[in-house]
DNA sequence: ACCTGAACACCGTTCAAGT
DNA sequence: ACCTGAACACCGTTCAAGT
């Protein structure tokens, strides 16, 4: 587990620690039950004053945006690994990365909610990482196409689209919604129609 | 377009009219741009006082819940039509209903947001309609299974699951997300793997 | 340089007065 | 019976004072 954040100017040690505590508190609180936790609660759980939360994140959406950004950094790492894995067939490399990314999303309800909020303001924080995601997806999709292993009309931007679809159905096991099956069904649909 | 609401006790004409005005205002405001419109704005657009909104809907989630409930009533009508259509092959009947329901959802951003909110409180308002949806889906899924036209592991509760997935990706054409293609891909994935 | 938390502003909700 | 909108409560955000 390496550092996710490369900040331009190094923060004072206590500030850096507070920042991490705030993000951890947000992930825990927003993840379990309390989808609508207040900033005051996040601050309390992190053991800092509200003002400190606002010093690190200009508003609530910036805080959620950082969760999304860090998630994309991890998504991209999985895609990069798939690109570097020479042993797998192109489609399997792509499918494997999607399975791993889905599994990670499944265990991070807070970020999923932030992703699903659909707020442009939240996503704006992760713009660069989103673009990088598309670049990486392009490589994997291109390879699968050249190998004839992917539906012809499937494009790189369909990768985040179908992943968004699968993530939107996570956390509803009590309704019989099994995202693993959902994902497999989508992967099956991605194969060539021949 | 018949009446969607069968209220037990008929309302006074002005109250009934206000109720419809409020729902229409909510659909318009919450649909376009303003996902976070206040109740005051909804009331203003409907031409009533805030108190009137709260007289008809105990809280904001009840208002959103009613949008969801009405949407499910329409969903169910499409499924019922598919059940009664003897001319189509079982899978095509199911697929046709899903295409029509998706198209209707696509043009109702307000309800989609309410559906996606994932709030249990919002969904509680449409419990009966959700159960009816599952009963109808069961019929169509059962027929398609018996005709050998559906993936063996596909179950009735997968219908709302995949529809939720497709709906979660609507309204993002600027990112290249085409829900029609998403739906076709999912429908393709639903076919038997043989 | 960063932290704190009381104070402020905004929006969901209530309720006393009106028709 | 139903409607109105000022008043209240809650939570996101600010900022003066502290370390």
């Amino acid at each position: 587990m390496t550092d996710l954040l490369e900040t331009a100017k190094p923060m004072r040690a206590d500030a850096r620690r507070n920042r991490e505590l705030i993000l951890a508190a947000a992930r825990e609180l927003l993840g379990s039950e309390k989808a609508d936790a207040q900033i005051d609660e996040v601050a309390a759980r992190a053991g800092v004053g509200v003002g400190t939360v606002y010093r690190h994140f200009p508003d609530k959406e910036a805080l959620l945006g950082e969760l999304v950004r860090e998630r994309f950094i991890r998504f991209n790492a999985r895609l990069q690994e798939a690109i570097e894995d020479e042993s797998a067939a192109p489609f399997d490399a792509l499918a494997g990365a999607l399975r791993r990314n889905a599994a990670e999303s499944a265990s991070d309800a807070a970020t999923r909610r932030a992703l699903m909020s659909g707020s442009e303001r939240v996503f704006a924080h992760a713009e660069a990482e989103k673009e990088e995601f598309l670049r990486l997806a392009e490589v994997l999709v291109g390879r699968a196409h050249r190998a004839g292993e992917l539906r012809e009309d499937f494009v790189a931007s369909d990768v985040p689209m179908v992943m968004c679809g699968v993530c939107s159905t996570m956390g509803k096991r009590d309704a019989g919604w099994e995202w693993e099956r959902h994902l497999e069904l989508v992967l099956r649909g991605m194969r060539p129609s021949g």
Side-chain angles (χ1 to χ4, degrees), chain A:
Chain A
M1 198 76 43
T2 70
D3 265 340
L4 287 169
L5 304 171
E6 315 293 347
T7 42
K9 285 137 212 234
M11 283 186 235
R12 224 168 66 178
D14 59 339
R16 177 157 180 75
R17 176 170 162 72
N18 280 338
R19 189 189 150 91
E20 296 304 329
L21 285 172
I22 291 163
L23 285 169
R27 249 186 292 261
E28 288 171 42
L29 273 175
L30 301 177
S32 62
E33 295 126 87
K34 295 293 89 199
D36 55 345
Q38 308 105 276
I39 297 288
D40 288 63
E41 288 185 63
V42 172
R45 175 176 270 255
V48 301
V50 233
T52 303
V53 174
Y54 281 94
R55 156 165 277 269
H56 286 281
F57 306 98
D59 55 31
K60 198 176 190 181
E61 284 170 333
L63 175 56
L64 299 178
E66 180 60 15
L67 293 182
V68 169
R69 201 179 74 84
E70 295 189 359
R71 176 53 57 205
F72 265 93
I73 291 173
R74 289 172 182 279
F75 281 164
N76 293 347
R78 299 295 86 75
L79 295 186
Q80 187 64 51
E81 286 161 15
I83 288 173
E84 288 163 6
D85 176 12
E86 306 287 347
S87 71
F91 185 93
D92 296 336
L94 173 60
L98 298 192
R99 286 192 191 97
R100 279 183 276 277
N101 279 341
E104 287 190 12
S105 300
S107 62
D108 184 359
T111 304
R112 237 165 44 226
R113 275 198 258 263
L115 278 165
M116 289 301 134
S117 77
S119 161
E120 302 298 331
R121 309 252 323 275
V122 170
F123 266 91
H125 281 265
E127 198 54 42
E129 289 75 14
K130 245 176 59 187
E131 282 169 20
E132 174 70 0
F133 183 99
L134 275 178
R135 263 192 301 277
L136 297 168
E138 195 93 57
V139 174
L140 291 166
V141 165
R143 285 188 193 168
H145 269 312
R146 280 190 294 280
E149 298 177 346
L150 202 56
R151 239 176 109 100
E152 289 196 7
D153 65 355
F154 194 89
V155 295
S157 63
D158 288 345
V159 173
M161 179 176 74
V162 300
M163 289 304 282
C164 174
V166 170
C167 285
S168 77
T169 64
M170 289 175 174
K172 305 247 170 77
R173 276 237 151 62
D174 53 349
W177 291 13
E178 297 171 4
W179 66 262
E180 295 91 338
R181 206 143 40 75
H182 188 183
L183 177 57
E184 293 310 318
L185 182 147
V186 164
L187 289 172
R188 185 65 177 62
M190 284 165 58
R191 314 246 37 170
S193 41

